[in-house]
Amino acid sequence: MHLILIFALITFNPIIEVEQVQTALEEHYPGETWNIKEFGDGNINYIYRAENTQKGKKTILVKKALDYARIDPVAFPLPIGRLSFEHQAYVEYQKSAPDRIPEIYFYDEPNGMLAMEYLSPHIILRRGLLEGKKYPLLAEHLGSFLGRSLYLTSKYHLSDANWQENVAYFADNTEMRKIIENLNFTHPFQNSTSNRWTSPELDDIVLEIQQDSELKSLVHALKRKFLNFPEALSHGDLHTGSVLVTKYDTRVFDTEFASYAPISFDIGMLLANYAMASIASEAHGTDKIWLSSLISSTWESFETSFTNLWANDEISVDEKIQEIWQDTVRLMGVEIIRRTIGVAHNADFEKISDRPLKAQIEREALEFARELILESSDTFTDAYEIEARLVS
Ligand code: SR1
Ligand code: MG
């Protein structure tokens, strides 16, 4: 076993960690006492539910950053300081989309902790979708979250000075941006040791993708744009595991990958996760038509919200929307490929216990992703074309 892994396993002691949370809460709320429990199965953080022992006082959620990723402690040493970018992203969202995030109570930099509203009875959207639940307001909530947060933090809305200040601040979230660069845009498209897929069943299509020079060149162009086009504040990891829901409420959380990036990045990731839920619906007995419809309803809500806010006379909003759409389609393909053959998979596919069915669904996903990247502007001229392809 690698030394860093042994060190991580020895040094993490859940009892000491709970005590640290207890001490931090006593500092922030003098005279109050708390019952603290660890919960959650995240990859790079520990999450605690802290219940105030005084009746009627609020329960809060405390997030404590880990300095390694559970999926691979050796390959992914992580900076605790990422919580400051997570905190600052919430500060920005508080200005642009306050109803769609949890309330933040405090950021404790020395202890690497962020305390926020404990949302109840909310559950993680991915879990809800896998259980076949439907959320009538989800598309409108997330579409307008995307429209508002992406426009109001963008270079098209902010003064040059404010935009530059934001870009410079979030550019220092270097390690998390590097993870996105490697895990989303680089490793899945080359023979990387961190990749994993259902093998040998998918070996042929994985090799085809990794040897497709046209596809790789399009993905490389998206990577360059991600690295060099700081258009607006991007959540950076907006999949269905980063959203909490009830039937009538929707909140976006886990903003530690935040930085300035192209507007299309968050939209592509979210729509791709809806597409994967739709492709996996046969295995989970969920409603393919409704899951697919989230793609057009979310896109339309984004487009309406973004267009209504647009007040820039240098570029027409139609031209901007067209550019965002084309990149969104390709980024959907990138997200689906990286969740199927890269290091970080998702429950939609991982929870399929019937191996031949899992391999069949993952193959469908890869074929679809390849089409999204290669045929973005010819075949998928609007969101309905994508839905039609998914339900055909
Ligand atoms: C090393 S972090 C692995 C993955 O978990 C996060 O949710 C991101 O999607 C990242 O790619
Ligand atoms: Mg996360």
Side-chain angles (χ1 to χ4, degrees):
M1 212 186 304
H2 194 287
L3 275 177
I4 300 177
L5 175 56
I6 297 171
F7 180 74
L9 292 174
I10 293 171
T11 52
F12 176 70
N13 179 334
I15 297 168
I16 295 174
E17 298 280 318
V18 167
E19 277 172 10
Q20 285 175 355
V21 176
Q22 187 87 44
T23 308
L25 286 176
E26 281 163 15
E27 269 168 40
H28 288 274
Y29 300 99
E32 300 188 19
T33 49
W34 305 81
N35 285 326
I36 300 168
K37 257 201 185 126
E38 194 226 327
F39 75 106
D41 54 1
N43 207 3
I44 55 178
N45 300 293
Y46 280 95
I47 308 287
Y48 300 90
R49 179 182 186 274
E51 195 185 351
N52 197 308
T53 52
Q54 257 179 292
K55 254 197 151 171
K57 290 258 183 161
K58 61 180 179 252
T59 295
I60 70 176
L61 182 147
V62 181
K63 182 167 178 176
K64 193 165 186 338
L66 271 172
D67 57 3
Y68 60 93
R70 278 190 260 213
I71 42 168
D72 192 339
V74 178
F76 300 108
L78 294 165
I80 303 287
R82 67 184 180 275
L83 275 187
S84 67
F85 302 103
E86 171 156 10
H87 177 240
Q88 192 57 32
Y90 283 124
V91 170
E92 292 298 325
Y93 289 150
Q94 180 60 35
K95 295 180 223 162
S96 58
D99 297 349
R100 300 277 74 88
I101 54 165
E103 189 181 341
I104 301 300
Y105 298 140
F106 66 81
Y107 168 46
D108 182 334
E109 191 172 0
N111 287 309
M113 288 177 205
L114 186 62
M116 63 190 84
E117 185 179 4
Y118 179 83
L119 290 160
S120 175
H122 298 62
I123 61 167
I124 290 182
L125 173 59
R126 194 186 304 281
R127 181 181 140 199
L129 297 182
L130 280 166
E131 288 173 358
K133 297 201 168 75
K134 293 187 183 168
Y135 300 97
L137 301 177
L138 176 66
E140 157 54 25
H141 282 168
L142 287 185
S144 59
F145 167 79
L146 289 165
R148 293 188 64 76
S149 68
L150 291 165
Y151 184 75
L152 295 173
T153 62
S154 76
K155 60 195 289 183
Y156 312 112
H157 174 71
L158 296 179
S159 68
D160 283 351
N162 287 346
W163 170 70
Q164 275 162 9
E165 195 187 330
N166 281 7
V167 171
Y169 178 82
F170 284 101
D172 285 342
N173 200 3
T174 36
E175 288 91 342
M176 305 313 273
R177 279 178 62 79
K178 192 71 195 167
I179 289 177
I180 297 176
E181 181 189 340
N182 285 340
L183 268 50
N184 297 44
F185 294 109
T186 308
H187 294 172
F189 301 94
Q190 56 182 218
N191 182 13
S192 163
T193 51
S194 68
N195 290 339
R196 58 191 178 94
W197 60 84
T198 308
S199 177
E201 293 91 329
L202 301 179
D203 289 359
D204 58 332
I205 190 164
V206 170
L207 198 64
E208 277 170 31
I209 287 172
Q210 291 178 343
Q211 291 184 344
D212 186 330
S213 51
E214 189 190 348
L215 180 141
K216 285 171 70 158
S217 154
L218 290 162
V219 173
H220 193 253
L222 291 167
K223 172 161 97 173
R224 277 203 313 273
K225 199 161 175 181
F226 172 78
L227 294 174
N228 299 314
F229 192 41
E231 205 175 17
L233 178 64
S234 163
H235 176 287
D237 201 27
L238 192 57
H239 52 77
T240 51
S242 297
V243 180
L244 285 162
V245 283
T246 66
K247 197 158 189 183
Y248 302 110
D249 191 26
T250 311
R251 310 288 186 102
V252 169
F253 72 111
D254 255 5
T255 57
E256 64 218 321
F257 284 86
S259 75
Y260 266 65
I263 286 174
S264 48
F265 188 78
D266 286 348
I267 310 171
M269 187 180 290
L270 181 65
L271 299 191
N273 278 268
Y274 291 153
M276 286 186 274
S278 159
I279 295 167
S281 60
E282 182 192 336
H284 304 299
T286 49
D287 184 344
K288 192 181 199 61
I289 293 180
W290 184 77
L291 289 166
S292 306
S293 77
L294 287 172
I295 294 173
S296 66
S297 49
T298 305
W299 171 262
E300 280 185 353
S301 164
F302 158 74
E303 191 178 359
T304 305
S305 153
F306 189 85
T307 305
N308 287 342
L309 289 165
W310 187 265
N312 181 299
D313 54 13
E314 227 178 315
I315 327 168
S316 85
V317 72
D318 291 346
E319 197 184 321
K320 182 42 66 186
I321 288 283
Q322 192 46 41
E323 181 199 338
I324 297 171
W325 173 250
Q326 169 141 346
D327 288 346
T328 293
V329 175
R330 291 191 173 136
L331 286 162
M332 286 179 70
V334 171
E335 171 71 3
I336 294 171
I337 289 173
R338 77 114 175 177
R339 292 292 187 189
T340 313
I341 70 181
V343 67
H345 289 213
N346 62 18
D348 308 61
F349 297 160
E350 293 305 293
K351 279 199 184 302
I352 304 174
S353 50
D354 175 338
R355 188 176 170 106
L357 181 60
K358 178 172 189 272
Q360 179 206 310
I361 283 174
E362 289 174 330
R363 178 176 293 276
E364 273 173 43
L366 290 176
E367 282 167 354
F368 175 56
R370 185 160 57 181
E371 280 174 46
L372 291 169
I373 296 171
L374 291 171
E375 299 170 25
S376 72
S377 41
D378 302 333
T379 309
F380 302 110
T381 51
D382 64 38
Y384 291 102
E385 301 280 0
I386 294 191
E387 280 179 33
R389 166 70 177 72
L390 281 170
V391 297
S392 66

